[in-house]
Amino acid sequence: MARLTAGVASSHVPLMGVAHDQKKDRDDYFGPIFAGYDWTRQWEKEQKPDVVILVYNDHASAFDMKIIPTFAIGCGEHYKPADEGWGPRAVPDVIGHPDLAWHIAQSLVLDEFDMTIVNEMDVDHGLTVPLSMMFGDVAEWPVKVIPLAVNVVTYPPPTGNRCWALGEAIARAVASFPEDLNVQIWGTGGMSHQLQGPRAGLINRAWDNMFLDGLVGDSDHLRHIPHIEYLRETGSEGIEMVMWLIMRGALGKTTRCLHRHYHVPCSNTAIGHMVLEPQP
Ligand code: DHB
Ligand code: FE
């Protein structure tokens, strides 16, 4: 059977993609940011996951005000890096896993999560930056990827509680897939950041670290944080962190932290990264 072996959380700041692509990742500014991913790159080489369910948000690249799916799952064969205004990033195409993705889509819909099924879309920095952080400069991504897009751009995003429950349903879906696959789930975005308006540049280290603490162990209190608290404490884009709760919900009752990294600033943003293992 397929096995959900680990959860990975990471910010997806587009500037990290630029630094990676322009080989500035070890300079004075980016060195401490990228150093926090060295452990994970080595660990991923040893883990050799077959598939990553990559929870991310599209930033008006594949979806815009014409269509706003709350939860969308990519069931396609492959996805191209999106052109976000400067041409597509020169990173490999993302290869999907249609069999597992359709299985998860079916299992989720029968489990009463009404997913939007997407067979064709381009994927933006929300998805490709975490891949670069975890795998570096590669000719091909070493995993198949099932994109799972969440609307956190246009109000109303889903609640943290709904995200956590979706994670639990994803875990049931993976566990019922008959092929022997090593599957990871990643939650991306965050941490505290506000990109516009009078509070642009808002960063809240104490709140971010409370959130990181809360992902470890057996408490599920994070699922009950209301939207207004993300907005007040972490800025208008901090709501991206609800996507981490899909990852956390999928890992079950208790988790153990294998690696943790937090750094300020990256662009106008606090970045966080964590690797979690489900506990029996
Ligand atoms: C930044 C962060 C994001 O999560 C994003 O999607 C876009 C920009 C930033 O900090 O620059
Ligand atoms: Fe973002």
Side-chain angles (χ1 to χ4, degrees):
M1 304 302 271
R3 293 161 287 120
L4 204 49
T5 56
V8 176
S10 176
S11 304
H12 63 213
V13 180
L15 193 61
M16 299 198 292
V18 175
H20 170 271
D21 298 349
Q22 297 183 357
K23 308 207 180 321
K24 293 184 175 154
D25 48 312
R26 300 293 154 170
D27 74 9
D28 288 350
Y29 184 85
F30 291 105
I33 296 168
F34 280 75
Y37 290 83
D38 288 342
W39 183 91
T40 315
R41 285 189 189 180
Q42 187 54 40
W43 172 82
E44 286 288 13
K45 280 190 186 135
E46 292 155 16
Q47 294 293 305
K48 298 189 181 56
D50 299 298
V51 187
V52 168
I53 301 169
L54 208 160
V55 181
Y56 77 110
N57 69 291
D58 177 80
H59 303 73
S61 303
F63 311 124
D64 55 23
M65 290 308 280
K66 281 190 284 194
I67 177 161
I68 307 170
T70 301
F71 296 121
I73 182 165
C75 293
E77 300 271 0
H78 44 75
Y79 311 90
K80 292 216 167 292
D83 182 350
E84 299 182 60
W86 301 271
R89 289 186 67 205
V91 291
D93 285 2
V94 172
I95 307 302
H97 195 303
D99 285 352
L100 179 59
W102 277 103
H103 169 84
I104 293 173
Q106 172 181 318
S107 178
L108 291 177
V109 172
L110 296 182
D111 219 352
E112 301 177 349
F113 285 85
D114 304 317
M115 307 298 291
T116 298
I117 292 168
V118 183
N119 289 311
E120 265 185 49
M121 64 176 169
D122 293 346
V123 287
D124 73 11
H125 69 270
L127 186 137
T128 63
V129 167
L131 284 172
S132 294
M133 299 312 286
M134 256 48 88
F135 299 126
D137 200 8
V138 288
E140 293 173 7
W141 300 120
V143 283
K144 306 271 175 65
V145 176
I146 298 178
L148 201 147
V150 181
N151 168 43
V152 289
V153 168
T154 304
Y155 199 83
T159 63
N161 189 48
R162 186 70 174 155
C163 287
W164 191 294
L166 177 63
E168 292 172 328
I170 290 170
R172 290 191 287 273
V174 170
S176 62
F177 190 67
E179 203 176 317
D180 180 29
L181 293 174
N182 178 354
V183 181
Q184 292 184 357
I185 182 162
W186 296 6
T188 71
M191 297 194 84
S192 54
H193 64 307
Q194 170 143 349
L195 302 176
Q196 68 281 305
R199 296 205 308 162
L202 181 146
I203 284 171
N204 187 340
R205 285 173 189 264
W207 198 97
D208 287 341
N209 279 287
M210 174 281 295
F211 191 85
L212 290 169
D213 291 343
L215 294 168
V216 183
D218 64 3
S219 167
D220 70 348
H221 68 279
L222 297 181
R223 71 191 292 173
H224 302 299
I225 297 170
H227 286 155
I228 193 69
E229 183 173 333
Y230 288 97
L231 189 64
R232 191 179 59 231
E233 299 294 333
T234 75
S236 51
E237 276 73 47
I239 191 64
E240 288 183 343
M241 280 182 273
V242 294
M243 297 187 290
W244 295 28
L245 300 184
I246 298 177
M247 176 277 293
R248 175 62 191 86
L251 298 182
K253 187 158 168 31
T254 308
T255 61
R256 187 164 78 96
C257 177
L258 301 182
H259 178 66
R260 174 171 173 161
H261 172 49
Y262 183 77
H263 182 86
V264 173
C266 178
S267 170
N268 267 346
T269 307
I271 62 138
H273 165 47
M274 195 174 239
V275 180
L276 293 168
E277 209 176 47
Q279 293 299 284

